[in-house]
Amino acid sequence: GENVEQHPSTLSVQEGDSAVIKCTYSDSASNYFPWYKQELGKGPQLIIDIRSNVGEKKDQRIAVTLNKTAKHFSLHITETQPEDSAVYFCAATFNSGYSTLTFGKGTMLLVSP
Amino acid sequence: EAGVAQSPRYKIIEKRQSVAFWCNPISGHATLYWYQQILGQGPKLLIQFQNNGVVDDSQLPKDRFSAERLKGVDSTLKIQPAKLEDSAVYLCASSPGASFTGELFFGEGSRLTVL
């Protein structure tokens, strides 16, 4: 099945700095790569996604890049704020006749004021 | 629009006891998922329903876990008998399409502690 590796497991930055989280996937047929944010006691919430026909996508302070050849994708958060503190999960589709998501292990981002 | 509802939010049981979790997806969403999230890990798919039919239950420990989605709406996930390693948050999610097309909408989860 699909395997999604995510690094780093924890990331501490100062408010205003940038944060980058990286993921690699194993299934070359994967074609959809979302990022979810999970706050304490809540379920994961989609923050941005990218499909395999696009190399980069941006939404305000958040951007995602995809390198299909290398089978890796990254989340970039600029001008971080304390409210960005949360656990971030990358995911990739695993195609076996139908599609389902496989998640990485998560990155705990802490933004200090 | 109401989100995905789950209950109970918290449950503590002894090992070998049974427990059931309930999920009500967003109205009109055809696909429903149950994920298991062990502390410090990402969500792992247990079972996926499309309307009231099972699409994928390959990672469901069928000797102790069962799930059903009657009438293609609400769903229940049951564990019997529970083991210590079942301690986790059980997340229910739904998506609008009959096949996977993008965003999953998650509930807040049901946290299970097995003593």
Side-chain angles (χ1 to χ4, degrees), chain B residues 22-39:
Chain B
W22 172 82
C23 173
N24 182 227
I26 292 173
S27 178
H29 279 197
T31 307
L32 185 147
Y33 312 78
W34 283 101
Y35 280 86
Q36 180 192 57
Q37 186 175 24
I38 293 172
L39 186 65

Side-chain angles (χ1 to χ4, degrees), chain A residues 2 11 27 29 36-37 39 52 65-66 68 70 73 76 80 84 87 97 99 101 106 108:
Chain A
E2 174 72 281
L11 180 58
D27 185 359
Y36 282 79
K37 176 182 180 182
E39 296 176 339
S52 58
T65 58
L66 171 65
K68 284 206 69 182
F73 56 113
H76 304 254
T80 54
D84 294 330
V87 179
S99 293
L101 280 181
M108 180 176 291

